[in-house]
Amino acid sequence: MPFRMTEMVGCEFPLFAFSHCRDVVAAVSRAGGFGVVGAVSSTPEQLEQELSWIDDHVEGKPYGVDVLIPEVQAVKMDITADQIIAQIPEKYRDFTRAILREAGISEEGANLHGGSQRPNTSLGQELLEVSFNHPVRLIANALGTAPPEMIEAGKEHGIPVAALVGAKEHAMKQIKAGVDIIVAQGGEGGGHCGEVSTVVLIPEVLDAIAEAGADIPVLAAGGIMDGRQMAGMMAMGADGAWCGSVWLATSEAETTEVFREKMIAATSRDTVRSKHRTGKYSRQLRSEWHRKWEEAEIPALPMPLMMLLSEPTLRAIDQASLNGNRAAQELATYFVGQGVGMVREQRGAGQVVQDFKEDFAASYERMMGLLE
Amino acid sequence: MPFRMTEMVGCEFPLFAFSHCRDVVAAVSRAGGFGVVGAVSSTPEQLEQELSWIDDHVEGKPYGVDVLIPEVQAVKMDITADQIIAQIPEKYRDFTRAILREAGISEEGANLHGGSQRPNTSLGQELLEVSFNHPVRLIANALGTAPPEMIEAGKEHGIPVAALVGAKEHAMKQIKAGVDIIVAQGGEGGGHCGEVSTVVLIPEVLDAIAEAGADIPVLAAGGIMDGRQMAGMMAMGADGAWCGSVWLATSEAETTEVFREKMIAATSRDTVRSKHRTGKYSRQLRSEWHRKWEEAEIPALPMPLMMLLSEPTLRAIDQASLNGNRAAQELATYFVGQGVGMVREQRGAGQVVQDFKEDFAASYERMMGLLE
């Protein structure tokens, strides 16, 4: 099939997999899709290791890097990690400790002084430099408008730059900024998201691009879990699909066995769009974690403070959940979209790509039938 | 095109138009779509008049009736209109009066003792009988599981019965109830809606039907404003599209000129899913009406009480808005989905159907291109 994305980034099938797990990225690209590794809060050294591993396992297939930088404000403010962490009110540390204590989880695991998630205050440019030393075919910026230095670096290396948007107005900014690909993610998607649903956002973004006289491909994101939905989005005019949640239930995923089982058990009504993880609205699997913050009526801290507090805590909760701690299993949560209701089983990431291809082809055949 | 719905209800193009406006219903059916007139709070006499008018203006084309009965609880409780209206707390009447007074709107227009929207406590069966005396090709039940008497009446007259659902679990109940068509409406849609988005709900409902071993067509609803989206939904497996909001901006619509202008000005982020109109969650254009109830932190009354209070009040507000009352124009609101962001202009309902057909055909041609 002559897909536009094939020429642009070299993949056989325009199914993009955003994942923090290098195994998923390599498996998806090997299967004909396009893996994009999330370098969130990686150090340049960690990213160098990740990309080298991918190079060794991707069999020459194309892949990309997402240099999502949630601490971007901190970077702009140019303050140190300790200065940021010092801004977390004691009240919030105490409430977090209480959640752990109540669940019988040791505080040791959860370094409430920032832990491993220290914001790297000179990250963006270094991560880009590391990325360009590898055969990446796409650079993505998942939060906010792509910075000029990223656009320039992409042009300089001949690598397309993609940016995520959750509203037509944001797409218009990205078009002005000069991005090469727009990932339009509906509010039903996992992670940071807006309110506009995928089925409305895609045509809105396509129209905004046309009205700007631009020629920028759009990848549809938000709730897409199979090839039927991908075919639907492409029938609307998208050039491919960008998925995150579907990979979290794969056997290669970085998620815990406990969370993958929760995904299989969840319905599409079991997610919540909450600020109580990163400080910005992001869709997650609803759990006791959200109920406790809501019951206590404690508003979320701004990003990155809320994240610096919650991430190490939730990692300790994940660890305890794996050790059979029931309370921890009820608290366990992660970023996931409404599509979680469509997860039936754990599959290999390569198998997911294969299933997408088959469902996609079947959808096309059904449509052909309508034209007979 | 051999559409399944063509055989089932006789329309040329499977675009279903839900409207309270008989002009829209007739225009859509004449243009090759399928108009469905909403008989909400009609008396049997009013419905008889509406259907006779449609028979005279539809040029023999097929149409349907939606006997949505928001007061269904009242019907079940078998209590009188006055008994229901008497349950509205004085505090709520006072707050509503204050909103009107502040906006300089006479209370006369707004009969806060129930006004014209008195629940008809023996409605359902009579409306069905009236409908079957006309050449209707579809009976729809837009809220809750289709009652057995409706299913039986449909079978008896050989008329398919459709039911709206906003969640997979509700679809499973409708399948058991024996409905002939399921309208799956995502949470981005206008009016009463759930939380699950259209792009996730459609495959969930299709899978629920397949797992039940049933063979029931699905109409996709929620955010669908043009033929690209319709093509996308059908690529996913839907048998057609069911739209409501797009007709509210047509020149034939029952909406006020003021509201149609607000629709054209609105973005897809200007809607709200609120209980402050009918007592159940429904998506509406966000206005001062919602802000005032939220600011006062007064929770919505249950259905039908909230509706009995708000509908006459909002009609008085609409009237004042047409007379140039600025405050009334800011308060004016109506049921509408996120697709409102895609409304650019007022069009005739027949033109909307024509535009759907052209965009739908263009989407198919683009898809053909992918297969070359």
Side-chain angles (χ1 to χ4, degrees):
Chain A
M1 299 188 184
F3 294 120
R4 189 173 175 188
M5 297 314 300
T6 305
E7 300 148 31
M8 210 159 174
V9 301
C11 61
E12 168 208 330
F13 186 63
L15 171 60
F16 290 70
F18 172 77
S19 176
H20 293 297
C21 173
R22 63 190 190 183
D23 304 77
V24 168
V25 170
V28 168
S29 289
R30 282 199 309 269
F34 190 93
V36 180
V37 63
V40 54
S41 66
S42 294
T43 63
E45 297 67 30
Q46 290 166 331
L47 182 59
E48 174 58 39
Q49 283 177 18
E50 295 289 282
L51 300 188
S52 298
W53 185 94
I54 292 172
D55 290 338
D56 293 342
H57 295 78
V58 79
E59 296 173 5
K61 295 297 177 72
Y63 68 92
V65 178
D66 188 326
V67 292
L68 160 67
I69 310 167
E71 299 86 356
V72 66
Q73 300 94 322
V75 177
K76 292 264 168 63
M77 293 185 297
D78 188 31
I79 58 176
T80 70
D82 292 341
Q83 282 175 303
I84 295 168
I85 291 160
Q87 294 173 22
I88 299 176
E90 200 50 41
K91 171 191 175 189
Y92 282 80
R93 289 189 212 281
D94 292 343
F95 185 71
T96 310
R97 288 196 184 94
I99 290 177
L100 292 173
R101 198 166 47 243
E102 212 179 299
I105 300 169
S106 157
E107 226 186 87
E108 298 317 308
N111 180 341
L112 297 187
H113 301 288
S116 60
Q117 191 99 17
R118 290 172 171 283
N120 181 321
T121 54
S122 61
L123 201 54
Q125 201 56 40
E126 290 176 51
L127 291 177
L128 281 178
E129 283 161 17
V130 168
S131 302
F132 287 126
N133 287 331
H134 293 266
V136 298
R137 295 293 304 271
L138 175 80
I139 294 290
N141 184 55
L143 201 62
T145 308
E149 54 268 35
M150 183 181 285
I151 304 286
E152 286 154 26
K155 298 223 180 305
E156 186 188 322
H157 294 82
I159 302 301
V161 173
L164 258 77
V165 305
K168 174 183 182 172
E169 296 73 17
H170 301 159
M172 290 161 80
K173 284 195 191 128
Q174 300 284 8
I175 295 166
K176 275 209 186 69
V179 299
D180 305 292
I181 297 168
I182 288 179
V183 180
Q185 180 182 342
E188 59 267 70
H192 293 106
C193 60
E195 302 161 65
V196 184
S197 79
T198 303
V199 77
V200 171
L201 182 64
I202 301 306
E204 281 195 307
V205 170
L206 289 167
D207 291 344
I209 291 170
E211 281 153 30
D215 178 27
I216 302 172
V218 171
L219 299 180
I224 302 172
M225 306 294 281
D226 68 26
R228 291 175 296 182
Q229 296 165 297
M230 181 179 174
M233 294 304 104
M234 292 178 73
M236 280 170 49
D239 283 278
W242 174 282
C243 306
S245 299
V246 73
W247 315 109
L248 299 176
T250 59
S251 43
E252 293 95 336
E254 73 275 25
T255 49
T256 64
E257 182 68 24
V258 169
F259 184 76
R260 290 195 290 270
E261 288 307 317
K262 285 183 87 162
M263 284 184 76
I264 292 169
T267 77
S268 52
R269 294 193 283 176
D270 293 332
T271 69
V272 61
R273 188 169 167 268
S274 164
K275 287 186 177 179
H276 281 104
R277 178 156 188 156
T278 72
K280 285 185 183 293
Y281 276 117
S282 70
R283 191 171 293 281
Q284 307 148 50
L285 189 67
R286 176 178 267 292
S287 82
E288 275 304 302
W289 171 263
H290 306 97
R291 293 197 191 85
K292 287 189 184 297
W293 287 97
E294 288 159 14
E295 275 169 27
E297 293 179 353
I298 300 177
L301 290 165
M303 176 185 280
L305 300 185
M306 191 70 210
M307 188 173 58
L308 291 168
L309 183 67
S310 67
E311 289 300 334
T313 308
L314 288 164
R315 269 194 299 280
I317 287 169
D318 279 341
Q319 193 49 55
S321 74
L322 288 173
N323 300 337
N325 178 321
R326 280 297 183 81
Q329 291 171 357
E330 286 177 4
L331 283 162
T333 177
Y334 195 57
F335 304 105
V336 73
Q338 291 185 340
V340 69
M342 295 171 67
V343 175
R344 306 298 184 84
E345 60 187 346
Q346 292 189 33
R347 290 174 290 171
Q351 184 60 52
V352 171
V353 175
Q354 195 51 45
D355 293 344
F356 258 84
K357 288 179 180 176
E358 286 167 18
D359 291 343
F360 183 89
S363 295
Y364 268 68
E365 274 165 30
R366 184 172 53 248
M367 291 184 280
M368 299 307 103
L370 287 182
L371 295 184
E372 272 156 12
Chain B
M1 300 186 183
F3 294 119
R4 189 172 174 187
M5 295 315 300
T6 305
E7 299 147 31
M8 209 159 177
V9 301
C11 61
E12 169 207 328
F13 185 63
L15 171 60
F16 290 69
F18 172 78
S19 176
H20 293 297
C21 174
R22 64 191 189 182
D23 304 80
V24 168
V25 169
V28 168
S29 288
R30 283 199 308 270
F34 190 94
V36 180
V37 63
V40 51
S41 65
S42 295
T43 63
E45 298 67 29
Q46 290 166 331
L47 182 59
E48 173 58 38
Q49 284 177 17
E50 295 289 282
L51 299 188
S52 298
W53 187 93
I54 291 172
D55 290 339
D56 294 341
H57 294 77
V58 78
E59 296 174 2
K61 297 295 178 74
Y63 68 91
V65 178
D66 188 324
V67 292
L68 160 68
I69 311 168
E71 300 88 355
V72 66
Q73 301 94 321
V75 178
K76 294 260 171 64
M77 293 186 295
D78 187 31
I79 59 179
T80 70
D82 292 341
Q83 283 173 303
I84 295 169
I85 291 160
Q87 295 174 19
I88 298 177
E90 201 48 42
K91 170 191 176 188
Y92 282 80
R93 288 189 216 280
D94 292 342
F95 186 71
T96 309
R97 288 195 184 94
I99 290 177
L100 291 173
R101 197 164 49 243
E102 210 180 297
I105 301 169
S106 157
E107 229 185 83
E108 298 318 310
N111 181 339
L112 298 187
H113 300 288
S116 60
Q117 190 102 17
R118 288 171 173 282
N120 180 320
T121 53
S122 61
L123 202 53
Q125 202 55 40
E126 292 176 50
L127 291 177
L128 281 178
E129 284 160 16
V130 169
S131 303
F132 287 127
N133 287 331
H134 293 267
V136 298
R137 295 294 304 271
L138 176 79
I139 294 289
N141 184 56
L143 202 62
T145 308
E149 56 268 33
M150 183 181 285
I151 304 284
E152 288 153 24
K155 298 220 181 311
E156 186 187 320
H157 293 81
I159 302 301
V161 172
L164 256 77
V165 304
K168 174 182 182 173
E169 296 74 17
H170 302 157
M172 291 159 79
K173 283 193 191 131
Q174 301 284 8
I175 294 165
K176 276 210 185 68
V179 300
D180 305 292
I181 297 169
I182 289 180
V183 180
Q185 181 182 341
E188 58 266 73
H192 293 107
C193 61
E195 303 161 65
V196 184
S197 80
T198 303
V199 77
V200 171
L201 182 63
I202 301 305
E204 282 195 307
V205 170
L206 288 167
D207 290 345
I209 291 169
E211 281 154 30
D215 179 27
I216 302 173
V218 172
L219 300 179
I224 302 173
M225 306 295 281
D226 69 27
R228 291 176 296 182
Q229 295 165 298
M230 181 178 174
M233 294 303 103
M234 291 179 72
M236 279 169 51
D239 283 279
W242 174 282
C243 306
S245 299
V246 73
W247 316 109
L248 300 176
T250 59
S251 43
E252 294 94 338
E254 73 275 24
T255 49
T256 64
E257 182 67 25
V258 169
F259 184 75
R260 290 196 290 271
E261 288 306 317
K262 286 184 86 162
M263 284 184 76
I264 291 169
T267 77
S268 52
R269 294 193 282 178
D270 293 332
T271 70
V272 60
R273 188 168 167 268
S274 164
K275 287 185 176 179
H276 281 102
R277 178 155 189 158
T278 71
K280 285 186 183 291
Y281 276 118
S282 70
R283 191 170 294 281
Q284 307 149 51
L285 189 67
R286 177 178 267 290
S287 82
E288 276 303 303
W289 172 263
H290 306 98
R291 292 194 190 87
K292 287 188 185 297
W293 287 97
E294 288 159 15
E295 275 169 27
E297 293 179 354
I298 300 177
L301 290 165
M303 177 183 280
L305 299 185
M306 191 71 209
M307 188 174 56
L308 290 168
L309 183 67
S310 67
E311 289 302 333
T313 307
L314 288 164
R315 271 194 298 280
I317 287 168
D318 279 341
Q319 193 50 55
S321 75
L322 289 173
N323 300 336
N325 178 321
R326 280 296 183 81
Q329 291 171 357
E330 286 176 5
L331 283 163
T333 176
Y334 195 58
F335 303 105
V336 73
Q338 291 186 338
V340 68
M342 294 171 67
V343 174
R344 305 299 184 84
E345 59 189 347
Q346 290 188 36
R347 290 174 291 172
Q351 183 60 52
V352 171
V353 175
Q354 196 51 45
D355 293 345
F356 258 84
K357 288 180 180 175
E358 285 167 20
D359 291 344
F360 183 90
S363 295
Y364 268 68
E365 275 166 31
R366 185 174 52 249
M367 290 183 279
M368 298 309 103
L370 287 183
L371 296 184
E372 274 155 10

